[in-house]
Amino acid sequence: MCTSLTTCEWKKVFYEKMEVAKPADSWELIIDPNLKPSELTPGWKQYVEQHASGRFHCSWCWHTWQSAHVVILFHMHLDRARRMGSVRMRVFKQLCYECGTAREDESSMLEENIEGLVDNLITSLREQCYDEDGGQYRIHVASRPDSGPHRTEFCEACQEGIVHWKPSEKLLEEEVTAHTFSEASKPRAQAGSGYNFLSLRWCLFWASLCLLVVYLQFSFRSPAFL
């Protein structure tokens, strides 16, 4: 039974995608708020999603905030003999910094974000549980503006020693670099095309002038032969 709309959406998307990715195996997704990073039962694998975007809601003061620093921990295990797999999942919470309550609040995520995050989870499953090439991981940038710099003292993941970074800053640097390079190359291209255009005009001008001189010379000399 789902405890929230977000939990229901996670399970719905996960089961649908696993049915397509591994139809011969049966997988289950379990929400475990007590899951600990790097504390693995023998045979289990770990994947940490560090780039999730979510919205938090404080049930005490009704404050809401957007964060691009949501961390999700997954522990995975596949029983190859029984063709059954299990994923245990924990979404780390954040404290409300408006009212200072010690109660950590759960995040909600947009459906399109959950779709991409499940794709990342399945990529990790393929690599670690099936020894396959899972493909490319997707980096998720917040779909809404972030509320400001990350405050580690209010982050449950940071307090448990998980170091994570904001992908939007990295992508922004790459975009700026690419844009700067593109803009820097434009004047050269434009100058080069202008130079070629002027050279063509001057060549045509001098060729026309030469033809005109030859024509005039021939015109002036023609009566002398009559």
Side-chain angles (χ1 to χ4, degrees):
M1 182 177 179
C2 297
T3 57
S4 67
L5 289 176
T6 301
T7 299
C8 289
E9 188 62 33
W10 268 101
K11 291 189 174 185
K12 172 179 174 291
V13 174
F14 176 74
Y15 293 143
E16 288 177 353
K17 287 183 176 290
M18 285 305 297
E19 184 65 27
V20 175
K22 294 296 176 182
D25 297 337
S26 177
W27 281 86
E28 64 174 348
L29 177 64
I30 301 171
I31 309 300
D32 185 355
N34 299 315
L35 208 62
K36 298 292 184 181
S38 301
E39 294 184 7
L40 295 165
T41 304
W44 286 69
K45 308 295 183 180
Q46 175 174 290
Y47 168 62
V48 182
E49 175 62 68
Q50 303 182 25
H51 314 309
S53 170
R55 175 167 288 273
F56 290 87
H57 170 77
C58 179
S59 57
W60 180 259
C61 71
W62 303 102
H63 173 61
T64 60
W65 66 98
Q66 177 77 14
S67 176
H69 304 274
V70 183
V71 176
I72 308 172
L73 175 66
F74 299 97
H75 285 181
M76 310 165 291
H77 178 261
L78 172 63
D79 187 334
R80 293 180 179 270
R82 301 172 60 191
R83 302 198 71 102
M84 296 180 64
S86 180
V87 175
R88 307 188 78 86
M89 166 184 165
R90 175 186 177 185
V91 181
F92 287 90
K93 303 174 183 179
Q94 293 184 10
L95 290 170
C96 176
Y97 54 86
E98 285 290 328
C99 65
T101 178
R103 182 181 182 278
E104 283 125 346
D105 289 279
E106 296 181 354
S107 67
S108 60
M109 297 179 184
L110 298 178
E111 182 177 352
E112 57 266 29
N113 289 345
I114 293 177
E115 291 264 352
L117 293 169
V118 170
D119 287 338
N120 279 357
L121 170 60
I122 294 176
T123 297
S124 183
L125 278 172
R126 285 180 176 275
E127 292 176 350
Q128 299 196 72
C129 296
Y130 290 96
D131 298 320
E132 298 177 354
D133 181 8
Q136 293 290 331
Y137 287 86
R138 295 171 58 181
I139 295 179
H140 299 271
V141 182
S143 57
R144 300 173 185 170
D146 196 8
S147 57
H150 185 55
R151 302 174 67 173
T152 58
E153 68 271 21
F154 292 98
C155 175
E156 191 179 43
C158 290
Q159 296 306 310
E160 296 208 18
I162 298 178
V163 179
H164 52 109
W165 53 277
K166 183 178 179 182
S168 54
E169 293 176 354
K170 176 179 172 59
L171 294 179
L172 182 60
E173 290 176 2
E174 292 177 354
E175 289 175 359
V176 169
T177 302
H179 178 72
T180 303
F181 177 79
S182 175
E183 290 298 322
S185 62
K186 283 182 180 179
R188 295 181 180 180
Q190 291 174 354
S193 61
Y195 174 78
N196 293 336
F197 176 69
L198 289 176
S199 299
L200 180 61
R201 286 179 56 187
W202 279 109
C203 288
L204 291 174
F205 171 76
W206 286 112
S208 301
L209 185 59
C210 291
L211 289 173
L212 179 60
V213 170
V214 172
Y215 172 76
L216 292 175
Q217 289 179 348
F218 180 78
S219 299
F220 283 119
R221 292 178 180 179
S222 296
F225 294 98
L226 294 177

